[in-house]
Amino acid sequence: MLANAAATGAGEDVAALIVAAGRGTRAGGEMPKQWQPLDGRPVLSHTVEAFRRAGIARIVLVIHRDDMALAKTLLRDGVTMTPGGESRDASVRAGLALLAERPPRHVLIHDGARPLVSPDLVSRLIAALESGARAAAPGLAVTDALWRGVEGRVAEAVPRASLYRAQTPQAFDFAAIRAAHDRHPGGAADDVEVARAAGLDVMIVEGDEDNIKITHPGDFARAARLLAQRETAGVTHPAPFPDIRTGNGYDVHRFRDGDGVVLCGIRIPFDQALEGHSDADVAMHAVTDAIYGALAEGDIGRHFPPTDPQWKGAASEIFLAHAAALARERGFALTHTDVTIVCEAPKIGPHAPRMQAEMARIMGLEAERVSIKATTSERLGFTGRGEGIAALATATLVKA
């Protein structure tokens, strides 16, 4: 659900690593359980979609080498894959190595055969990590009596106090779990075991009874019933909503002595100039910040600190081109920008067509997708007193 996705606040800080390289023979069938149909689609397809609904934009699939062709059908935006190893922990290491090319802060490691993970569970795990835990995992307290059996007979009762049924995803500080796996000799049952062997404390968060792992043939029917119940309750959607983002930008620069201003990349002769660390192109700065805002990437100062002398007097084209390129790298098409320049003088209208063309060139857009407007503040405020220029901008990004 989109509401739950937004609630996680995951962004690029959190990645999901889905391990699906096993053969799953206990589930029966002619193919591994993660590829068997569930409600008309492979189990693994439901698992991937569950993380997308939970707001996890970056997903790595670890796949058996024989299944790579099958997995290509799941490679949508933000989903990549890598071949697994001979054991589960070897497969996890392969996935962590792929993520290390652009390390996230946190990673959720999940079994591909658990297709019913909920956005609420993902949110609880992320919240645990954000609270300071370096490792967290879902567990369900054992409520049934426990026996130890020998040759089909009860040998003894086992106390159930403090016992939990472990689930995935298991959540970790990325650097910590990667280091733990690098030091571990192998053979671990899950990633919590690896983390604890490295000395990490693992916080237990409340698990989810519906978060079942498909292991035996009868589990497919149970999972199908749970999916049907969620559909009836409106918990799932037949297809994800398109990823459309809007960002806003605002900038101000005061006047100083000079003979012209630069606005939207065009120099306009004037009896003053704008003061700033770079070329003080207030309009271009506002559009740049709007694009960064749509990507949740802060503002120009995060990427080009004003304390860095290399940007002294720099052309603002550098900043705008970087923001547009970053949007493309993230898989977004920049579809439209709109900027309003607020000043009493100079007159903007005569220069607007050239501004529009220059901004379009830098961002790689058609000129008709770039809007340049100007207004006065009716002699009110600092712009009305002729002390400087302000600019407001909006940018729209659509997942390509």
Side-chain angles (χ1 to χ4, degrees), residues 147-159:
W147 304 325
R148 190 185 309 280
V150 177
E151 296 180 353
R153 289 180 169 80
V154 176
E156 61 176 323
V158 177

Side-chain angles (χ1 to χ4, degrees), residues 290-367:
I291 298 171
Y292 284 140
L295 294 169
E297 278 286 343
D299 58 13
I300 293 173
R302 177 191 294 187
H303 302 273
F304 302 94
T307 54
D308 190 334
Q310 69 173 308
W311 308 122
K312 179 68 174 176
S316 295
E317 174 179 347
I318 296 170
F319 313 148
L320 181 59
H322 176 268
L326 186 61
R328 289 190 292 271
E329 289 171 11
R330 298 282 177 82
F332 286 93
L334 176 58
T335 64
H336 179 257
T337 63
D338 177 34
V339 62
T340 300
I341 302 168
V342 185
C343 62
E344 300 296 326
K347 294 294 185 183
I348 304 300
H351 308 281
R354 291 175 58 217
M355 292 178 176
Q356 186 180 27
E358 179 64 2
M359 294 286 281
R361 179 191 68 80
I362 296 169
M363 293 184 286
L365 296 178
E366 301 93 340

